Amino acid sequence: GENVEQHPSTLSVQEGDSAVIKCTYSDSASNYFPWYKQELGKGPQLIIDIRSNVGEKKDQRIAVTLNKTAKHFSLHITETQPEDSAVYFCAASSTGGSYIPTFGRGTSLIVHP
Amino acid sequence: DSGVTQTPKHLITATGQRVTLRCSPRSGDLSVYWYQQSLDQGLQFLIQYYNGEERAKGNILERFSAQQFPDLHSELNLSSLELGDSALYFCASSGRTSGHYNEQFFGPGTRLTVL
């Protein structure tokens, strides 16, 4: 089955800095890569996703890149703000079967004001 | 607000007991997924239902079972509870969006504490 590795487990930055979270996956059949943000006491919320036919996608201060050859994808947050502090999860799934995503273990991002 | 609702928000019970967690998916979504989130195991997929039928099974224990009703709400039943079952249980739904990729929308979760 799919295996998703996520690094780092904890990331501490100053407000205004950039943050990068990296994930690798093992199954070359995976072609959908969502990122979720989980704030304290809440469920994971989809913030951005990327399909395998796209190398990069941006949404305001958030961007995701995908390297299918190397089987890795990354989340980039620019101009971080204290409200970006949360746990971020990457996931990978394929269009075959039930689209069940395999999640990374999560990255706790702390943005210091 | 994702549109997915879960009840109860918190549940405290004793070992050996049985509990039922409830989930209502987003309007129009046909798929419901159940996940368990614990500190040491991360977010683990348990089971998926699609339009009332079981579609996929993950790391779900035999003591756990689920069902999806005709109105599409779902229940997760946990029995013979053990201390290790203490965790956050999330429900997610999908199916309303178009295309081949089913974006999942998570509910706020039920925190289960087994004493």
Side-chain angles (χ1 to χ4, degrees):
Chain A
E2 176 66 277
N3 181 49
V4 177
E5 299 282 342
Q6 183 172 348
H7 299 280
S9 57
T10 307
L11 181 57
S12 184
V13 300
Q14 289 296 126
E15 182 177 0
D17 288 351
S18 294
V20 180
I21 302 170
K22 298 182 178 182
C23 290
T24 60
Y25 62 98
S26 60
D27 189 350
S28 56
S30 289
N31 53 11
Y32 175 59
F33 307 92
W35 286 87
Y36 289 85
K37 175 184 181 182
Q38 186 176 19
E39 296 175 333
L40 200 61
K42 296 184 178 181
Q45 300 298 313
L46 180 72
I47 55 171
I48 195 168
D49 58 18
I50 191 166
R51 276 77 161 139
S52 62
N53 57 345
V54 175
E56 182 175 0
K57 183 177 178 180
K58 279 186 180 179
D59 183 3
Q60 300 182 341
R61 296 185 296 107
I62 293 173
V64 58
T65 58
L66 171 65
N67 183 328
K68 284 218 73 177
T69 304
K71 294 197 189 72
H72 66 72
F73 55 114
S74 301
L75 178 71
H76 304 252
I77 307 174
T78 58
E79 300 171 26
T80 54
Q81 301 166 4
E83 50 265 40
D84 294 329
S85 297
V87 178
Y88 291 81
F89 292 93
C90 64
S93 68
S94 71
T95 52
S98 305
Y99 312 101
I100 306 299
T102 300
F103 286 85
R105 294 293 295 268
T107 296
S108 177
L109 174 64
I110 303 165
V111 181
H112 299 281
Chain B
D1 183 2
S2 67
V4 179
T5 60
Q6 287 187 249
T7 56
K9 194 169 177 61
H10 301 280
L11 200 48
I12 301 174
T13 188
T15 54
Q17 295 298 304
R18 172 189 168 93
V19 297
T20 297
L21 313 183
R22 183 188 168 100
C23 167
S24 291
R26 294 189 316 159
S27 177
D29 281 357
L30 298 178
S31 275
V32 169
Y33 309 76
W34 285 98
Y35 291 87
Q36 180 191 59
Q37 185 178 45
S38 56
L39 281 174
D40 58 341
Q41 292 292 324
L43 204 59
Q44 297 288 315
F45 166 69
L46 296 178
I47 196 163
Q48 178 205 4
Y49 277 81
Y50 177 82
N51 203 21
E53 300 285 330
E54 183 184 302
R55 175 64 70 90
K57 248 182 178 177
N59 301 320
I60 188 166
L61 300 172
E62 284 191 14
R63 300 183 285 109
F64 297 179
S65 65
Q67 52 184 330
Q68 186 178 27
F69 296 87
D71 66 352
L72 300 178
H73 91 270
S74 177
E75 292 181 356
L76 179 67
N77 301 295
L78 314 177
S79 62
S80 303
L81 285 167
E82 302 175 358
L83 295 177
D85 297 327
S86 295
L88 275 167
Y89 291 84
F90 289 104
C91 166
S93 74
S94 72
R96 181 153 45 110
T97 52
S98 61
H100 297 288
Y101 311 98
N102 286 343
E103 301 165 19
Q104 296 191 4
F105 296 87
F106 283 77
T110 292
R111 179 173 293 280
L112 173 67
T113 303
V114 182
L115 302 175

